Amino acid sequence: MDIMRVITHRKLLIGLVAVSFLPACQDSAVEQPVTISYQSVNSERLMFEDNYQFNQVFSGTIRAGNTTGIGFELAGKIEALAVDSGDNVNQGQLLAKLDTRLLMAQKNELTASLTQNKADLDLAKATLDRSLGLQKQGYVSEQQLDELKGQLNSLQAAKTRLHASLLANQLKIEKSDLLAPFDGIISKRSHNLGEVIDVGSPVYTIIEHNNVQAYIGVPVQIANNLTSGQQVDLRVRQQHYRATIAGIGAELNPVTRTVELRVTLPQNAQVINGELSYLYYNKTISSQGYWVPLSALTDGVRGLWNIYVLKQSDDTLYTLERRDVEIIYTAKDKAFINGAIAPNEQYVSQGLHKLVAGQLVTKQTQLATR
């Protein structure tokens, strides 16, 4: 019985020792090393520039060098229409005809009058010749000779008048054919077959080929810097062209307050009359500053902007400094700035909404975009 009590006491003693070591083991397992994480930022270097390109875009419209409404010089009834809208035509090609039956009847009448006049002239000449011979024999008076000469002169004048009338009639017949004044395309037909039209009423609107021009208004100060024959950049839809200034207007538009430029496009330009065109004007401005992306700027005070500059604290850490800058010019997604910054300083290029001045950050290197 005593032996059993001794064994039981030993087991209890061993259990108490084991329990006493358990907290010490648990405390050593919970302890963990403390680490600090820093915000990583994209950075670029400030590259000094002593000028920048000032870019402006001006809009205008495309018009062919000749866009003409053509019609007959005579009134009459349309007898034939040879072309229609969308047809390409060549200079001198027949486009339409008027009914010329009345003119042909008038021509026949004039031709008959000329034939009669010729017969009367022949008779008058023969009579005068005989009278001159009889005058020598004393059978014809001077008055009779004067009357015969006057009749002959009158018939000569009538002949001249009839020839002029016949020429006018022939011109009317020729002008009853409507011909294309230049190579082009028919954009519109305004009359139908059989219509009776007035003098000058346009039958077709024709647009000239290979003479496409853009008419663009620009401010006076820019017009003064341009010259006729100068090459400029022009865009129609998504196509860019190297165009030539054909003329600069000498009058200010009272509505837009601009001077109109007439710019000639290349002959192979694929454009349509009335399309919008855009003139790109570039000028170098002398001004010192730095190009930065717009994402590197944040609102400041008193009309200024701020940029975050990186100042190195140790091998891998940098402190953010807020600097005041002024935007001189913007172009798309970048800005030309100057202010409390210096060449080659590193700045945060994006993600400013996550940062504050004085914050410690690490740098993530990337290529600068210009």
Side-chain angles (χ1 to χ4, degrees):
M1 190 68 177
D2 292 335
I3 294 173
M4 292 296 295
R5 286 179 180 177
V6 171
I7 293 172
T8 302
H9 284 299
R10 286 181 178 178
K11 289 181 177 180
L12 288 173
L13 182 60
I14 293 171
L16 288 173
V17 172
V19 170
S20 66
F21 280 102
L22 184 60
C25 294
Q26 289 177 343
D27 290 342
S28 65
V30 169
E31 290 181 2
Q32 297 291 336
V34 178
T35 59
I36 302 176
S37 63
Y38 295 94
Q39 180 74 40
S40 180
V41 297
N42 294 322
S43 66
E44 297 179 14
R45 287 190 179 274
L46 290 169
M47 305 302 295
F48 178 76
E49 303 279 353
D50 58 6
N51 61 69
Y52 66 91
Q53 288 293 321
F54 179 72
N55 303 319
Q56 286 183 288
V57 181
F58 304 99
S59 62
T61 56
I62 295 294
R63 297 204 299 269
N66 285 301
T67 301
T68 309
I70 55 174
F72 293 100
E73 298 180 39
L74 309 170
K77 184 172 73 173
I78 298 178
E79 184 181 58
L81 294 170
V83 295
D84 209 333
S85 301
D87 290 343
N88 289 293
V89 296
N90 298 319
Q91 183 177 9
Q93 180 179 338
L94 178 66
L95 306 180
K97 286 178 64 69
L98 290 178
D99 187 351
T100 59
R101 286 178 294 177
L102 289 176
L103 292 175
M104 294 303 298
Q106 185 184 22
K107 180 180 180 179
N108 292 334
E109 182 181 356
L110 291 172
T111 301
S113 296
L114 271 174
T115 302
Q116 181 181 353
N117 176 266
K118 183 178 182 305
D120 293 340
L121 273 174
D122 291 341
L123 178 59
K125 288 179 181 179
T127 302
L128 181 60
D129 290 341
R130 285 194 300 270
S131 296
L132 289 172
L134 292 174
Q135 183 191 27
K136 294 177 182 180
Q137 300 176 11
Y139 295 109
V140 178
S141 65
E142 289 291 335
Q143 182 178 354
Q144 290 176 319
L145 286 176
D146 290 341
E147 291 176 354
L148 290 172
K149 290 178 181 179
Q151 183 182 6
L152 182 61
N153 291 335
S154 178
L155 290 171
Q156 290 282 9
K159 178 183 178 181
T160 302
R161 185 179 66 254
L162 288 171
H163 274 295
S165 298
L166 191 61
L167 178 61
N169 175 266
Q170 183 62 36
L171 286 174
K172 289 180 179 179
I173 292 174
E174 292 176 1
K175 290 181 179 295
S176 295
D177 292 343
L178 184 62
L179 307 178
F182 44 74
D183 295 348
I185 183 171
I186 302 297
S187 67
K188 181 181 179 181
R189 176 169 64 87
S190 304
H191 291 285
N192 298 316
L193 191 66
E195 283 190 45
V196 177
I197 61 174
D198 294 328
V199 175
S201 178
V203 179
Y204 297 105
T205 300
I206 181 172
I207 299 173
E208 186 178 14
H209 279 327
N210 302 325
N211 188 18
V212 182
Q213 295 180 331
Y215 291 80
I216 300 172
V218 299
V220 176
Q221 62 270 24
I222 291 179
N224 290 337
N225 293 328
L226 300 173
T227 58
S228 295
Q230 181 177 340
Q231 297 286 307
V232 292
D233 292 323
L234 202 72
R235 178 175 67 84
V236 182
R237 296 190 300 274
Q238 302 305 316
Q239 188 66 40
H240 290 263
Y241 299 99
R242 194 67 177 163
T244 304
I245 297 178
I248 301 174
E251 184 178 10
L252 192 68
N253 188 302
V255 177
T256 62
R257 311 303 297 172
T258 59
V259 176
E260 189 174 66
L261 302 181
R262 182 166 52 88
V263 184
T264 301
L265 276 74
Q267 291 190 357
N268 60 351
Q270 300 296 317
V271 297
I272 299 176
N273 222 34
E275 278 193 290
L276 288 177
S277 58
Y278 300 92
L279 174 70
Y280 289 81
Y281 177 75
N282 302 321
K283 184 179 180 181
T284 301
I285 305 296
S286 296
S287 179
Q288 296 181 346
Y290 309 84
W291 282 108
V292 298
L294 292 177
S295 59
L297 299 173
T298 185
D299 293 337
V301 294
R302 295 187 298 275
L304 295 176
W305 293 81
N306 294 144
I307 189 172
Y308 284 131
V309 174
L310 299 174
K311 283 298 181 181
Q312 194 160 11
S313 297
D314 57 30
D315 292 340
T316 60
L317 290 179
Y318 297 83
T319 303
L320 294 181
E321 291 186 2
R322 184 192 295 266
R323 304 284 184 84
D324 290 333
V325 296
E326 178 186 3
I327 296 179
I328 300 173
Y329 177 70
T330 60
K332 294 184 179 179
D333 59 348
K334 60 183 181 178
F336 192 74
I337 64 172
N338 205 345
I341 48 180
N344 296 320
E345 282 191 306
Q346 298 183 80
Y347 66 94
V348 180
S349 60
Q350 58 184 350
L352 303 187
H353 61 285
K354 304 176 183 177
L355 308 173
V356 294
Q359 181 178 347
L360 289 174
V361 296
T362 59
K363 184 177 65 173
Q364 184 179 26
T365 305
Q366 68 175 18
L367 293 176
T369 56
R370 287 293 308 277

